[in-house]
Amino acid sequence: MPEPYDLLIVGGGVNGTAIARAAAVAGKRVLLVEQGDLAQGTSSASTKLMHGGLRYLEYHEYKLVREALAERAVMLRTAPHIVWPLEFRLPHMPSMRPWPIVRMGLWLYDLFAWGGGLPRSRGIRLDDPALVQNGGRGFSYWDGWVDDARLVVLNAMDAAEAGAEIRTRTRLESAQRQAEQWTVTLRDATGVHQVAARTIVNAAGPWVEQVLHGRLGQNDSSPIRLVRGSHIVVKRCLAGDHAWLLQQADGRIVFAIPYLDDFTLIGTTEVTVNDPTDTVIAPAEIAYLLDAANRYLRTPLREDAIVGSYGGIRPLVDDGTQAASAVSRDYRLELDRKGAPLLSVFGGKITTARHLAQAALERLGIEGGDTRNRALPGGDIRDFGALLASVRERWPFLDEPVARRMAHAYGSRIDTLLVNARTADDLGTDFGAGLRAREVDYLIRHEWARSADDILWRRTKLGYYLDPAQVERLGHYIRETIA
């Protein structure tokens, strides 16, 4: 058997890829295995926010909020193409939270974010005629937006460029533990293989307990609670580039966020489930989200405004709290040294994944791997506006929405993708919405894409724009390309 890997990481979500990146930067020999596609689970089903979590202040999660706000600043600096500032407006509802209480919460949020580079919160008059409360009082504060699935892919790319091996469509079947290493059985499309690893990191997200108990044969762990957060995507119903934070009578808040160019993303719910695959939004959740938005909208949304929906399963550490909304979003790292080391990752949120990775290396006694000042692939730019202007000048044949999407997706690496292109025809077949063969080839070659879903729902989010015939044509091209 070949030389053992230093770390074998199970799970290709945001936590697993962030740990792989940090460990590879630290010079370790790393293998990451993911049973499906990168970010196929919870990490592509988030609310797309790089935020501190304003509402966590009500649960006195001060450490988590401060850590998340510090990480928000790191990501705005090191991945400005996929993470950018987003203003939130909060209509004031006196029947829910008094003005002084909201003002105090926002002041504390500003204090925790001190030096993070975003504007401070302020009181405003609401100026959207789509709102029932147009002209009323409210608040403005700032957080960050993130392309969640691309964050995962870029973590994996940086890990691979630092020496890590990334294997998607590869399932960990079982592992035998010895004193100094694990012997691991993996299954992929070509069959069963064995590798050895000195340490296993279980970062399987909602499947963390299944991997721990069913495939690694370990029984001791923290209990987790699986909580589904569901979202609906509707035709654009609010103007402007800012998002809205909508307070609800049950004490929760719901976000309404501008999404892509034509939609509004509304979420999220919090429903306890028993199965990591139970991701389909329930009718009651749809009704809840519509009601949450319609409490504020002058023209109510109906179900026919919904163009899509998705749910993500959050694996939260079960702290005994009755309400799912009150369960802590902080993470827990459990290190088992009864033989070769096993580190299991419980909980966490997309904003704090980089910090979690750093903490994981510390628990394992691995020095180095500090990525605070390391740009993610394509993120070595100072001014996104200048990058976009350069893209428009160098490739004027790109439609404006396509140029903007590609600049955000690839950042400075757009050169690799568009090199030598002089006309749109140089980019090959157009599968719809400006997705052309050269981009598909790039995603297959550099970003582990293997299906139409990989590209349309995780790498580009263009699934909302292509019709079934275009999707089938794209799928056929991918199958032919990778055959």
Side-chain angles (χ1 to χ4, degrees):
M1 189 177 295
E3 178 72 14
Y5 292 94
D6 294 312
L7 268 70
L8 186 148
I9 300 168
V10 184
V14 69
N15 289 335
T17 54
I19 294 169
R21 178 190 184 215
V25 168
K28 297 301 178 181
R29 188 164 182 254
V30 177
L31 169 63
L32 180 144
V33 296
E34 161 56 46
Q35 64 181 352
D37 181 32
L38 296 172
Q40 189 164 326
T42 306
S43 294
S44 60
S46 77
T47 315
K48 325 301 180 193
L49 297 181
M50 184 65 63
H51 68 142
L54 179 62
R55 73 180 183 87
Y56 304 150
L57 294 175
E58 288 192 309
Y59 300 109
H60 310 294
E61 294 266 16
Y62 304 127
K63 173 181 172 293
L64 174 62
V65 172
R66 292 187 67 171
E67 177 184 302
L69 288 171
E71 287 302 302
R72 185 189 71 181
V74 170
M75 299 311 298
L76 285 166
R77 187 178 70 251
T78 59
H81 52 323
I82 62 164
V83 180
W84 58 83
L86 177 63
E87 181 191 5
F88 284 80
R89 296 185 181 178
L90 193 167
H92 180 234
M93 297 285 276
S95 62
M96 296 179 187
R97 292 172 177 86
W99 179 277
I101 295 297
V102 180
R103 178 68 268 181
M104 180 62 72
L106 289 170
W107 177 84
L108 189 58
Y109 204 62
D110 289 339
L111 181 63
F112 285 169
W114 190 267
L118 295 184
R120 297 179 64 182
S121 61
R122 59 191 175 92
I124 60 170
R125 286 285 174 185
L126 305 179
D127 60 354
D128 192 327
L131 295 176
V132 173
Q133 294 168 278
N134 186 41
R137 291 203 304 172
F139 301 91
S140 166
Y141 76 97
W142 289 76
D143 253 320
W145 191 94
V146 60
D147 188 330
D148 51 6
R150 289 211 60 77
L151 175 63
V152 175
V153 170
L154 296 184
N155 269 315
M157 287 179 67
D158 202 33
E161 290 171 10
E165 185 177 342
I166 310 294
R167 298 189 199 177
T168 60
R169 272 78 177 184
T170 301
R171 176 185 171 91
L172 183 145
E173 293 283 291
S174 63
Q176 287 72 48
R177 191 180 206 173
Q178 292 90 41
E180 301 296 331
Q181 68 179 38
W182 295 83
T183 300
V184 181
T185 301
L186 305 174
R187 182 183 295 275
D188 61 19
T190 65
V192 173
H193 313 274
Q194 282 196 333
V195 298
R198 295 186 176 91
T199 298
I200 289 180
V201 176
N202 177 10
W207 290 268
V208 62
E209 283 190 324
Q210 290 187 9
V211 169
L212 191 62
H213 301 156
R215 302 185 213 168
L216 299 178
Q218 309 301 308
N219 297 318
D220 297 331
S221 69
S222 292
I224 66 168
R225 185 186 304 191
L226 301 179
V227 176
R228 182 175 65 226
S230 295
H231 305 73
I232 56 175
V233 179
V234 302
K235 299 170 187 175
R236 191 71 178 263
C237 63
L238 289 161
D241 295 328
H242 50 272
W244 294 90
L245 187 152
L246 308 177
Q247 299 181 83
Q248 302 301 311
D250 61 3
R252 299 186 69 255
I253 57 96
V254 167
F255 294 107
I257 301 170
Y259 190 46
L260 306 176
D261 289 327
D262 305 296
F263 309 111
T264 300
L265 175 65
I266 300 173
T268 177
T269 61
E270 289 171 312
V271 177
T272 300
V273 299
N274 296 317
D275 190 326
T277 65
D278 188 4
T279 60
V280 178
I281 188 171
E285 292 176 280
I286 293 175
Y288 177 87
L289 292 174
L290 289 175
D291 287 347
N294 289 339
R295 188 183 302 276
Y296 291 84
L297 293 174
R298 191 174 299 277
T299 302
L301 293 171
R302 301 182 304 181
E303 282 200 38
D304 60 7
I306 299 174
V307 299
S309 63
Y310 63 87
I313 308 298
R314 307 182 188 107
L316 306 179
V317 178
D318 195 343
D319 57 8
T321 304
Q322 185 172 2
S325 61
V327 179
S328 175
R329 268 50 179 177
D330 208 349
Y331 58 81
R332 181 177 298 172
L333 304 175
E334 295 192 355
L335 180 59
D336 177 353
R337 289 192 177 273
K338 301 169 188 171
L342 167 63
L343 181 70
S344 293
V345 179
F346 298 89
K349 56 200 298 285
I350 199 163
T351 303
T352 54
R354 194 210 63 83
H355 187 276
L356 181 152
Q358 185 175 314
L361 263 59
E362 291 174 0
R363 287 296 303 276
L364 293 170
I366 298 173
E367 297 182 354
D370 186 348
T371 56
R372 282 174 293 182
N373 297 310
R374 183 182 176 95
L376 281 165
D380 51 341
I381 54 176
R382 291 190 176 184
D383 183 344
F384 178 80
L387 171 70
L388 181 56
S390 173
V391 170
R392 290 167 176 152
E393 180 181 355
R394 295 175 63 188
W395 298 287
F397 55 84
L398 293 176
D399 292 341
E400 174 62 23
V402 177
R404 188 171 61 254
R405 176 186 67 78
M406 294 180 73
H408 274 304
Y410 306 107
S412 63
R413 298 206 174 187
I414 197 170
D415 284 356
T416 304
L417 175 57
L418 296 180
V419 63
N420 299 328
R422 298 291 180 266
T423 69
D425 288 342
D426 291 338
L427 302 180
T429 303
D430 186 351
F431 296 101
L435 177 67
R436 290 183 172 269
R438 185 183 291 192
E439 184 175 4
V440 173
D441 293 344
Y442 175 92
L443 295 172
I444 292 171
R445 186 178 306 114
H446 297 286
E447 297 193 7
W448 299 276
R450 292 294 180 270
S451 74
D453 276 0
D454 295 353
I455 289 175
L456 295 178
W457 295 111
R458 289 177 283 280
R459 306 306 187 281
T460 69
K461 303 293 194 297
L462 291 176
Y464 293 103
Y465 293 98
L466 271 63
D467 63 35
Q470 291 171 315
V471 174
E472 176 54 36
R473 188 180 182 208
L474 172 62
H476 177 75
Y477 177 85
I478 294 170
R479 290 189 293 273
E480 289 291 313
T481 301
I482 64 178

